[in-house]
Amino acid sequence: MTLAMNLEFHLLAVSSLLFMVYCKENNTNTYVSKEVIVIGGGLSGLVAARELMKNTNYTVRVLEGRTDRYGGRVWTNRKSLPRSRGVEAELGAMVINSIACKDPPIMQMIADFELQTNLTGDMKIYLPDENLHLEGEQVIDVYSEVLNVLRNAVDKVKSNKKDISVKKAVDMELENFKSKIDKKILSAVLNTLPNIIFEDFSATVYKPENEFGWDTVIVDGLDTFLDRIVAGSDGELPLKIELGKVVHQIKLDPKRQKVVVRIKDGTQRYADAIIVALPVGVFKSKSVLFEPPLPKNWYQAINNLGLGYSNKIIIGFDTAFWPVDTGSFTVSSKTAKDGFLQLWTNLYRYVKKPLLVGNIFGNQASQLENMADDVIKEKALIVLGEMFGNDVVRRNNITVLIRSNWSTDPMIKGSFSYPKVGNNQLIWDTLKDPICPFLYFAGSHTESEGHIDTIHGAFKSGLRAAYQVSSGLCKMRTQQENEAKLKTQKQKETKKEKKFEKDTSKTKAKTIQKDEL
């Protein structure tokens, strides 16, 4: 190796080593995040911001596109129900799954905030076409068998190692399923479940147990829970939230070693790290540009996820003509089918007001948004009449009707993600992994809970994204990459040096041989 080559290699090695030492020891290096921007003021974004605010080394701000509220798919619509306690105005997320939330931090935080919760209570099943309604132990027996059908169906799919939809797996299982419960009843109840309504819901990823356990509501309203997160407690500073900030571009500025966030109002913000907590529907629409573009495998993961639709109506009457002590009602009929108003929640149980919540899933949910209020009222009256008697229902005046519109909401563009046939864990591993050194992701779609995304999934994702930033994950990865590059470079140089020495030895040998001749 020539003197010039030796000197070049020596300088390069020293330079790389000095950079590694700088990254390791200097707290001002470009990979230590100080200013953090959270894009999206839903539950996951707010939790991430609050968690980071516990570390005094960070300044955090949240950019939210809406001008009137934060919360994302948590929407306690008090404007339409101004004297509401909270739970009766929930047009978004409402019920927490205590089974899926085993030892959950979210439940501990709710307790710390001293918010009143209540259990959803028992359920009644109505099958008007069969002139049948079930309650008490009958309902427990039916849902026990429903769980057995789901478990058997999913286990067989996993054994065959070929993914199919939950709906197809259940249909196959029901053909030979033996039960003391009439198959018509089992089939009717099974077809009210969202994972069956979405006909491409993956059986392999699905966890039947998580379909059950939706049993806890915050009577004070989920917006109160979010307000407490924003306000902070025990001396914490409130979160800095900027409303009306619709982000359209996230760009790396290599000169400043910062990320610039460009907003549609013409302003921009700089940060050391970005936590993107936008809904899956917004990502699918590609309304936010990334420069440089996100990796292809990231876009493939987001595109492969299912995008589901759901909506709610809250309908009120002069009096409560339904069983007021019952928590919820399941109905399957010629009108209440394919996800349309098959699941109802009795709000009288919580707030002593004659209000009901009707849930709509799948294509029916998106179609609802094009219906006039009078059409929705009439359809709701028909379904309620099938359950409680048409004469009884029609004697009551409708006093309240409010509804959600998540499909066309420009800040949501859908309702939730779900695992489609063919999805596997690699999708969620990709979506939750940061794109170093600056981009981190939160949102319920980044957590694989085995069912459609949830409140606790959003909460967990916020905690995880905050930890990824504060733990210096990207810093460590950068150091490892630099070390790997340096090692590879050394190996190449050593190989070149050995080849040079070998070639030099051969040349010397030939010269000696020539001289001897």
Side-chain angles (χ1 to χ4, degrees):
M1 182 179 288
T2 65
L3 177 61
M5 290 175 65
N6 269 313
L7 182 60
E8 182 181 0
F9 174 76
H10 176 73
L11 289 174
L12 183 61
V14 170
S15 175
S16 297
L17 286 170
L18 285 174
F19 177 77
M20 287 165 54
V21 171
Y22 178 75
C23 286
K24 185 175 181 180
E25 296 182 353
N26 192 330
N27 288 331
T28 63
N29 77 75
T30 57
Y31 298 108
V32 174
S33 303
K34 294 295 183 182
E35 295 177 299
V36 182
I37 289 178
V38 177
I39 300 175
L43 177 59
S44 60
L46 297 178
V47 169
R50 172 51 63 202
E51 191 69 11
L52 278 176
M53 285 280 285
K54 294 177 181 178
N55 188 328
T56 56
N57 291 326
Y58 296 94
T59 59
V60 185
R61 73 176 77 187
V62 179
L63 302 183
E64 167 56 46
R66 296 183 192 277
T67 57
D68 57 342
R69 69 177 181 89
Y70 48 78
R73 284 167 289 174
V74 173
W75 182 22
T76 312
N77 188 2
R78 295 179 189 270
K79 288 183 179 179
S80 298
L81 290 173
R83 292 182 295 277
S84 64
R85 174 71 182 277
V87 67
E88 71 269 37
E90 302 285 20
L91 280 176
M94 176 178 170
V95 186
I96 300 172
N97 188 319
S98 66
I99 291 179
C101 289
K102 293 177 180 177
D103 192 25
I106 186 172
M107 298 304 294
Q108 184 58 53
M109 185 176 283
I110 291 169
D112 292 343
F113 290 163
E114 298 182 346
L115 300 176
Q116 182 182 339
T117 62
N118 204 338
L119 297 177
T120 54
D122 61 352
M123 176 186 290
K124 284 183 169 59
I125 298 172
Y126 290 84
L127 304 174
D129 298 340
E130 306 295 328
N131 194 27
L132 182 67
H133 93 269
L134 308 174
E135 56 186 67
E137 291 296 327
Q138 293 174 310
V139 173
I140 295 173
D141 290 342
V142 168
Y143 274 98
S144 294
E145 286 294 72
V146 163
L147 180 57
N148 287 334
V149 172
L150 291 170
R151 281 173 170 164
N152 290 351
V154 168
D155 287 345
K156 288 177 182 178
V157 172
K158 290 179 179 179
S159 296
N160 292 333
K161 296 182 180 179
K162 184 178 180 181
D163 197 14
I164 60 175
S165 70
V166 175
K167 179 175 176 53
K168 186 174 181 180
V170 165
D171 288 343
M172 293 168 59
E173 176 62 24
L174 274 178
E175 288 181 7
N176 301 310
F177 188 78
K178 295 181 180 180
S179 172
K180 60 182 180 181
I181 307 295
D182 189 328
K183 284 187 181 181
K184 287 184 179 179
I185 297 175
L186 292 179
S187 179
V189 173
L190 280 160
N191 283 299
T192 67
L193 302 179
N195 66 80
I196 291 181
I197 293 166
F198 300 108
E199 296 188 358
D200 57 351
F201 199 114
S202 167
T204 300
V205 179
Y206 178 55
K207 296 178 182 178
E209 293 78 7
N210 287 348
E211 195 67 57
F212 304 86
W214 300 91
D215 59 4
T216 303
V217 298
I218 300 177
V219 180
D220 297 313
L222 271 166
D223 65 336
T224 305
F225 176 57
L226 294 188
D227 289 344
R228 291 295 302 275
I229 293 174
V230 171
S233 57
D234 298 329
E236 293 176 335
L237 293 174
L239 298 181
K240 298 176 183 177
I241 301 179
E242 297 184 38
L243 297 178
K245 301 301 179 184
V246 180
V247 173
H248 75 91
Q249 187 184 41
I250 300 171
K251 181 180 179 180
L252 172 63
D253 186 337
K255 290 184 178 179
R256 295 193 185 192
Q257 284 295 292
K258 297 266 189 179
V259 183
V260 58
V261 177
R262 290 178 174 161
I263 302 166
K264 285 191 175 181
D265 63 8
T267 62
Q268 59 188 31
R269 307 284 187 275
Y270 284 90
D272 297 303
I274 304 290
I275 296 177
V276 188
L278 295 171
V280 66
V282 173
F283 279 122
K284 282 180 174 286
S285 71
K286 297 183 179 179
S287 56
V288 178
L289 301 176
F290 291 85
E291 189 177 333
L294 299 180
K296 287 184 178 180
N297 68 324
W298 195 95
Y299 283 115
Q300 287 172 348
I302 209 76
N303 289 334
N304 287 337
L305 269 182
L307 179 62
Y309 301 104
S310 70
N311 273 307
K312 287 181 179 180
I313 64 168
I314 298 174
I315 188 167
F317 296 89
D318 296 325
T319 60
F321 50 78
W322 53 89
V324 293
D325 293 328
T326 301
S328 57
F329 311 101
T330 296
V331 57
S332 180
S333 69
K334 292 178 181 178
T335 306
K337 62 180 181 179
D338 301 327
F340 183 75
L341 296 178
Q342 293 189 273
L343 303 175
W344 292 82
T345 302
N346 170 26
L347 293 172
Y348 189 93
R349 173 180 167 81
Y350 310 115
V351 294
K352 306 303 179 188
K353 296 178 184 178
L355 296 166
L356 291 166
V357 176
N359 293 275
I360 305 98
F361 297 98
N363 293 331
Q364 299 276 5
S366 55
Q367 293 171 15
L368 176 87
E369 297 182 20
N370 297 318
M371 293 181 188
D373 283 356
D374 287 344
V375 175
I376 295 172
K377 288 178 182 179
E378 181 58 28
K379 287 181 175 291
L381 289 174
I382 292 173
V383 174
L384 293 172
E386 290 174 335
M387 289 193 285
F388 309 118
N390 190 58
D391 292 341
V392 173
V393 172
R394 299 283 176 172
R395 283 199 296 267
N396 286 269
N397 294 316
I398 295 176
T399 58
V400 172
L401 179 70
I402 59 175
R403 53 174 169 157
S404 60
N405 60 337
W406 297 119
S407 304
T408 53
D409 185 327
M411 300 298 166
I412 300 296
K413 299 184 178 182
S415 299
F416 48 77
S417 68
Y418 67 92
K420 292 200 304 186
V421 174
N423 288 173
N424 57 49
Q425 185 59 41
L426 183 60
I427 283 182
W428 294 278
D429 292 343
T430 299
L431 294 177
K432 71 174 60 173
D433 200 40
I435 298 175
C436 293
F438 304 110
L439 281 180
Y440 303 80
F441 299 93
S444 49
H445 63 278
T446 65
E447 294 291 328
S448 56
E449 296 294 331
H451 51 80
I452 55 179
D453 53 2
T454 59
I455 295 172
H456 57 276
F459 192 93
K460 282 175 60 179
S461 76
L463 294 179
R464 185 247 312 142
Y467 176 75
Q468 287 174 333
V469 174
S470 62
S471 66
L473 175 61
C474 277
K475 175 187 172 183
M476 289 186 287
R477 285 187 181 178
T478 302
Q479 290 179 197
Q480 290 169 357
E481 288 170 3
N482 287 332
E483 289 170 359
K485 287 178 182 178
L486 181 58
K487 184 178 179 181
T488 301
Q489 194 168 20
K490 282 183 176 179
Q491 290 173 343
K492 287 181 179 179
E493 293 298 335
T494 300
K495 188 176 181 180
K496 284 182 181 179
E497 189 173 351
K498 286 181 178 180
K499 185 176 184 301
F500 178 80
E501 291 175 353
K502 186 177 181 181
D503 291 342
T504 302
S505 297
K506 286 182 178 179
T507 302
K508 286 182 178 178
K510 287 180 180 179
T511 302
I512 293 171
Q513 187 178 14
K514 185 177 180 181
D515 291 343
E516 289 178 349
L517 291 172

